[in-house]
Amino acid sequence: MLEGLKECKLCPHKCKVNRLEGKIGRCRATEKVKISLVSLHHFEEPCISGTNGSGTIFFSNCNFNCVFCQNYKISQEGMGQDVSIEFLANSMLEEQNKGAHNINLVTPVMYVYHIIEAIKIAKAKGLIYQ
Ligand code: SF4
């Protein structure tokens, strides 16, 4: 399922590093999925946050290096924790159970393969979002 990480081309940088063997590309993401925060977020545009909030999952690291990033510690210093795909799936369900209007993946590109697997697990457990 994570085979694509052997020669990572998940974003336009196309580093082609083998993340499964511990090599690190420009985004500094490893073979593990890493997240810094899971929470109901009320401060996106009203059509996203609605009344209950969006179910935000902030991913650690980033494939951009924006000078004025407001989430610098998360995006550039990698603040967060490695988690399992199962944990990620359960985090989505947790947000749903709290009443989130959607699941809001913040800087997810480096972890697309993990996220696809997590969504499959979460769907099997009752995730309702499309
Ligand atoms: S996701 Fe990371 S390792 Fe993969 S191509 Fe983009 S910057 Fe490189």
Side-chain angles (χ1 to χ4, degrees), residues 11 13 15 24-29 60-72 74-78 107 110:
C11 82
H13 291 304
C15 301
I24 306 280
R26 182 169 169 147
C27 66
R28 295 179 295 279
S60 307
N61 301 307
C62 187
N63 56 321
F64 291 118
N65 301 112
C66 304
V67 174
F68 299 110
C69 179
Q70 63 175 350
N71 295 323
Y72 188 88
I74 297 170
S75 69
Q76 305 304 308
E77 295 181 358
T107 322
M110 307 82 69

Coordinates of all heavy atoms in Angstrom, one line a residue, residues 11 13 15 24-29 60-72 74-78 107 110:
C11 N 4.8 14.7 -4.8 CA 4.5 16.2 -5.1 C 5.4 16.6 -6.2 O 6.3 15.8 -6.6 CB 4.7 17.0 -3.8 SG 6.4 17.4 -3.5
H13 N 8.1 18.2 -6.4 CA 9.5 18.1 -6.2 C 10.1 16.8 -6.7 O 11.3 16.8 -7.1 CB 9.9 18.3 -4.7 CG 9.6 19.6 -4.2 ND1 10.1 20.8 -4.7 CD2 8.8 20.0 -3.1 CE1 9.7 21.8 -4.0 NE2 8.9 21.4 -3.1
C15 N 11.3 14.1 -5.5 CA 12.6 13.8 -4.9 C 13.1 12.4 -5.3 O 14.3 12.1 -5.3 CB 12.6 13.9 -3.4 SG 12.1 15.5 -2.8
I24 N 15.2 10.8 3.3 CA 14.3 11.9 3.5 C 14.4 12.9 2.3 O 15.5 13.2 1.9 CB 14.8 12.7 4.8 CG1 14.9 11.8 6.0 CG2 13.9 13.9 5.0 CD1 13.7 11.5 6.7
G25 N 13.2 13.3 1.8 CA 13.2 14.2 0.7 C 13.0 15.7 1.2 O 13.2 16.0 2.4
R26 N 12.7 16.6 0.4 CA 12.6 18.0 0.7 C 11.6 18.2 1.8 O 11.8 19.1 2.6 CB 12.2 18.7 -0.6 CG 12.2 20.2 -0.3 CD 12.0 20.9 -1.6 NE 11.7 22.3 -1.4 CZ 12.1 23.3 -2.1 NH1 12.9 23.1 -3.2 NH2 11.8 24.6 -1.9
C27 N 10.5 17.5 1.9 CA 9.5 17.7 2.9 C 9.9 17.2 4.3 O 9.2 17.5 5.2 CB 8.2 17.1 2.4 SG 8.3 15.3 2.4
R28 N 10.9 16.3 4.3 CA 11.4 15.7 5.6 C 10.4 14.7 6.1 O 10.6 14.2 7.3 CB 11.7 16.8 6.7 CG 12.8 17.7 6.3 CD 13.1 18.7 7.4 NE 12.0 19.6 7.5 CZ 11.8 20.7 6.7 NH1 12.7 20.9 5.7 NH2 10.8 21.5 6.9
A29 N 9.4 14.3 5.4 CA 8.5 13.2 5.9 C 9.2 11.9 5.7 O 9.9 11.7 4.8 CB 7.2 13.2 5.0
S60 N 2.3 17.0 10.1 CA 3.6 17.5 10.3 C 4.4 17.5 9.1 O 4.2 16.6 8.2 CB 4.3 16.7 11.4 OG 3.5 16.6 12.6
N61 N 5.3 18.4 8.9 CA 6.2 18.6 7.8 C 5.4 19.2 6.6 O 4.2 19.4 6.7 CB 6.9 17.3 7.4 CG 7.7 16.7 8.5 OD1 8.6 17.4 9.0 ND2 7.5 15.4 8.8
C62 N 6.1 19.6 5.6 CA 5.5 20.2 4.4 C 6.4 20.2 3.2 O 7.6 20.2 3.4 CB 5.2 21.7 4.8 SG 4.2 22.5 3.5
N63 N 5.8 20.1 2.1 CA 6.6 20.1 0.8 C 6.8 21.5 0.3 O 7.5 21.7 -0.7 CB 6.0 19.2 -0.2 CG 4.6 19.6 -0.6 OD1 3.8 20.0 0.3 ND2 4.2 19.6 -1.8
F64 N 6.3 22.5 1.0 CA 6.6 23.9 0.7 C 7.5 24.5 1.8 O 7.6 23.9 2.9 CB 5.3 24.8 0.7 CG 4.4 24.5 -0.4 CD1 3.1 24.0 -0.2 CD2 4.8 24.7 -1.7 CE1 2.2 23.7 -1.2 CE2 3.9 24.4 -2.8 CZ 2.6 23.9 -2.5
N65 N 8.2 25.6 1.5 CA 9.0 26.3 2.5 C 8.6 27.7 2.6 O 9.5 28.6 2.4 CB 10.5 26.1 2.2 CG 10.9 24.7 2.1 OD1 11.2 24.2 1.0 ND2 10.9 24.0 3.2
C66 N 7.3 28.0 2.7 CA 6.9 29.4 2.7 C 7.5 30.2 3.8 O 7.5 29.8 5.0 CB 5.4 29.5 2.8 SG 4.5 28.5 1.6
V67 N 8.1 31.4 3.5 CA 8.8 32.2 4.5 C 7.9 32.6 5.7 O 8.4 32.6 6.8 CB 9.4 33.4 3.8 CG1 10.0 34.3 4.8 CG2 10.4 33.0 2.7
F68 N 6.7 32.9 5.4 CA 5.8 33.4 6.4 C 4.8 32.4 6.9 O 3.7 32.8 7.4 CB 5.1 34.7 6.0 CG 6.0 35.8 5.6 CD1 6.2 36.2 4.3 CD2 6.8 36.4 6.6 CE1 7.1 37.2 4.0 CE2 7.7 37.5 6.3 CZ 7.9 37.8 5.0
C69 N 5.1 31.2 6.9 CA 4.2 30.1 7.3 C 3.7 30.4 8.7 O 4.5 30.5 9.7 CB 4.9 28.7 7.2 SG 3.8 27.4 7.7
Q70 N 2.4 30.3 8.9 CA 1.9 30.6 10.3 C 1.9 29.3 11.1 O 1.7 29.4 12.3 CB 0.4 31.1 10.2 CG -0.5 30.1 9.6 CD -2.0 30.5 9.6 OE1 -2.3 31.5 10.2 NE2 -2.8 29.8 8.9
N71 N 2.3 28.2 10.5 CA 2.4 26.9 11.3 C 3.8 26.4 11.2 O 4.1 25.2 11.1 CB 1.4 25.9 10.7 CG 0.0 26.3 10.9 OD1 -0.4 26.8 11.9 ND2 -0.8 26.0 9.9
Y72 N 4.8 27.4 11.4 CA 6.2 27.0 11.1 C 6.7 25.8 11.9 O 7.4 25.0 11.4 CB 7.0 28.3 11.5 CG 8.5 28.1 11.1 CD1 8.9 28.5 9.8 CD2 9.4 27.6 12.0 CE1 10.3 28.3 9.4 CE2 10.7 27.5 11.6 CZ 11.2 27.8 10.4 OH 12.5 27.6 10.0
I74 N 5.1 23.3 13.0 CA 4.5 22.1 12.5 C 5.1 21.8 11.1 O 5.6 20.7 10.8 CB 3.0 22.2 12.4 CG1 2.4 22.4 13.8 CG2 2.4 21.0 11.7 CD1 0.9 22.8 13.8
S75 N 5.1 22.8 10.2 CA 5.5 22.5 8.8 C 7.0 22.4 8.6 O 7.5 21.6 7.9 CB 4.9 23.6 8.0 OG 5.6 24.8 8.2
Q76 N 7.8 23.2 9.3 CA 9.2 23.2 9.1 C 10.0 22.5 10.1 O 11.1 22.0 9.9 CB 9.7 24.7 8.9 CG 9.0 25.5 7.9 CD 9.0 24.8 6.5 OE1 10.1 24.5 6.0 NE2 7.8 24.6 5.9
E77 N 9.5 22.5 11.4 CA 10.3 21.9 12.5 C 9.7 20.5 12.7 O 10.2 19.8 13.6 CB 10.3 22.7 13.7 CG 11.1 24.0 13.5 CD 11.1 24.9 14.8 OE1 10.5 24.6 15.8 OE2 11.7 26.0 14.7
G78 N 8.6 20.1 12.0 CA 8.1 18.8 12.2 C 7.5 18.4 13.5 O 7.4 17.3 13.9
T107 N -2.2 20.2 4.9 CA -0.9 19.8 4.3 C -0.8 18.3 4.3 O 0.1 17.7 4.9 CB 0.3 20.4 5.1 OG1 -0.1 21.7 5.5 CG2 1.5 20.4 4.2
M110 N 2.2 14.8 1.5 CA 3.3 13.8 1.7 C 2.8 12.5 2.2 O 3.5 11.5 2.2 CB 4.3 14.4 2.7 CG 4.9 15.7 2.5 SD 3.7 17.0 3.0 CE 3.7 16.9 4.8

